[in-house]
Amino acid sequence: MKQADLKKQLMSQIDENDQMEVEKVERYLDLVKLYRKMNASIAKYGPMIEIENGSQKFLKPNPAISEKIKLSSAIIRLGKDLNLENLNITITDPDDDYDESELT
């Protein structure tokens, strides 16, 4: 879903004269933007990243994964605070979807 379409949908569900509600929508959209960036980072670098410390090399989980989880929770909480009718809004592009075989 495009950012403009998401904003239009969110604005239709709130009182646009309530500046507090409008601000919450803007924060919601900012969080969605960051969530998408975390998806892009994970897609680019993968779930594990290689760390080089002097002569040592080791793998560790991509920190974007834990940030993505935090952002997801924040988006859900803010959506509930906005009393959104449809909290199952898709916030990723269909091209960003994963294959179930990637989970094993």
Side-chain angles (χ1 to χ4, degrees):
M1 177 178 277
K2 293 181 182 176
Q3 191 84 0
D5 293 339
L6 180 56
K7 182 174 184 173
K8 184 178 176 182
Q9 182 177 349
L10 292 171
M11 294 300 283
S12 73
Q13 295 186 43
I14 65 163
D15 176 5
E16 293 184 44
N17 295 318
D18 184 341
Q19 291 304 305
M20 201 98 140
E21 297 275 305
V22 172
E23 174 64 27
K24 288 178 185 177
V25 167
E26 292 299 325
R27 279 189 271 150
Y28 189 96
L29 294 170
D30 286 343
L31 290 172
V32 168
K33 215 180 289 186
L34 288 171
Y35 185 91
R36 289 178 175 165
K37 286 181 180 183
M38 293 300 117
N39 270 348
S41 174
I42 295 166
K44 181 176 181 179
Y45 298 107
M48 300 295 284
I49 58 173
E50 186 174 297
I51 302 296
E52 208 170 320
N53 185 6
S55 63
Q56 296 178 330
K57 287 184 181 181
F58 56 94
L59 290 175
K60 74 174 217 171
N62 187 334
I65 295 170
S66 63
E67 292 304 314
K68 182 179 165 182
I69 292 167
K70 290 176 192 175
L71 285 169
S72 180
S73 295
I75 289 168
I76 291 167
R77 281 192 311 272
L78 192 51
K80 287 180 181 177
D81 192 41
L82 284 166
N83 295 317
L84 298 179
E85 294 171 18
N86 184 1
L87 291 176
N88 295 321
I89 297 170
T90 303
I91 59 173
T92 59
D93 293 328
D95 297 336
D96 291 342
D97 285 346
Y98 61 87
D99 187 280
E100 284 190 29
S101 66
E102 295 174 344
L103 297 175
T104 55

